[in-house]
Amino acid sequence: MPREVILTQQGLDDLKAKIEHLSTARRHEVAERIKEARAFGDISENSEYDDAKNEQAMLEKQIAELEDKLRSATVIDESDVTTDVVSVGVTVHVKDQKTDKSVKYKIVGSAEANPAENKLSNESPVGKALLGKKRGEIVSVPVPRGPARKLKITKIEAK
């Protein structure tokens, strides 16, 4: 049984666009590589042909995995998200109690997570710790070494 994938509308649109790109443009590129490699002659000793066929297999696997995610996706309606507690779809502002540094994170499903864009998965250690908490609460996030990181929720917004 595939596990549920939680997506925002933006995440769903991005996933569909990625599947579309891989299914059309990338498949065509790989097919061209296979065609060119065949032109080199005997395919039994043709490393270009083997590479192209391997790339095709990896591409098909990636497309199948993304389509599987799409089938098991639950799209959250961001207009229904409340700002009473931290949940998937909200942007939460936190202040590190040790460094006094403020950061804002968008809580998203694992399929959309991108720490570089401050999009945290609801399954990540920080995301898990923040879920269900209210403004003003201090959450403790375990870190690999040293004392747990303490984050104070300063604001929860739906956007």
Side-chain angles (χ1 to χ4, degrees), residues 98 140-150:
K98 186 176 180 183
S140 182
V141 181
V143 291
R145 290 195 187 111
R149 194 169 157 207
K150 303 232 183 280

Side-chain angles (χ1 to χ4, degrees), residues 6-130:
I6 300 172
L7 295 172
T8 61
Q9 186 59 49
Q10 178 66 46
L12 179 68
D13 295 342
D14 292 348
L15 182 61
K16 285 180 179 177
K18 188 169 186 175
I19 291 170
E20 179 66 23
H21 171 73
L22 293 176
S23 299
T24 55
R26 284 290 295 139
R27 267 187 182 150
H28 183 71
E29 289 170 19
V30 172
E32 281 299 312
R33 278 197 59 206
I34 292 171
K35 184 177 167 186
E36 287 172 17
R38 273 197 193 128
F40 292 139
D42 184 12
I43 61 172
S44 65
E45 295 177 18
N46 186 333
S47 64
E48 285 88 359
Y49 180 78
D50 291 341
D51 285 348
K53 290 299 278 182
N54 286 338
E55 185 179 356
Q56 181 184 41
M58 288 188 298
L59 176 65
E60 293 304 323
K61 181 179 184 283
Q62 186 179 14
I63 291 169
E65 286 171 352
L66 292 173
E67 287 175 339
D68 196 41
K69 269 186 187 176
L70 188 60
R71 276 191 292 280
S72 59
T74 301
V75 180
I76 56 162
D77 186 350
E78 291 183 89
S79 62
D80 289 346
V81 172
T82 68
T83 57
D84 300 338
V85 295
V86 177
S87 62
V88 175
V90 302
T91 299
V92 60
H93 297 249
V94 296
K95 186 173 187 177
D96 191 307
Q97 297 296 281
K98 186 176 180 183
T99 64
D100 250 9
K101 187 178 170 193
S102 292
V103 186
K104 68 179 182 177
Y105 297 115
K106 171 105 174 156
I107 307 297
V108 295
S110 60
E112 286 180 77
N114 184 344
E117 295 177 9
N118 283 350
K119 290 182 175 179
L120 292 185
S121 163
N122 60 327
E123 298 172 10
S124 71
V126 174
K128 244 188 238 180
L130 291 171

